[in-house]
Amino acid sequence: MSYSVIKTNDDGDVIYQRTDDDGLVRRTCLAHDSEFQAWLRANKDSLPDDIQAKIDAGELTIADAD
């Protein structure tokens, strides 16, 4: 499973998509989605380049666990 940036909506929110290991897109979400945030925390040392670029630019933040 991995996430990637797919687009920015009209409100300026970046929309991310999850692609499962079988190659199918299973869900889309915004940055604050709890499942996406859990994935970011679990993979913070090996994120895809497009996701890492959003973090480096300050456009995406990995939230602390609840």
Side-chain angles (χ1 to χ4, degrees):
M1 163 179 57
S2 66
Y3 280 86
S4 60
V5 175
I6 57 170
K7 69 176 187 171
T8 302
N9 69 14
D10 293 338
D11 295 329
D13 296 319
V14 177
I15 300 177
Y16 300 88
Q17 75 178 15
R18 184 184 90 192
T19 304
D20 286 348
D21 293 337
D22 60 8
L24 295 176
V25 174
R26 298 288 184 192
R27 66 191 308 263
T28 60
C29 63
L30 297 176
H32 60 269
D33 178 80
S34 61
E35 184 178 318
F36 179 49
Q37 284 292 323
W39 179 85
L40 287 170
R41 285 189 298 276
N43 294 282
K44 66 183 176 185
D45 295 326
S46 60
L47 294 169
D49 291 342
D50 59 344
I51 302 279
Q52 187 63 56
K54 293 289 184 191
I55 291 172
D56 294 344
E59 299 171 12
L60 175 62
T61 301
I62 300 175
D64 293 331
D66 293 338

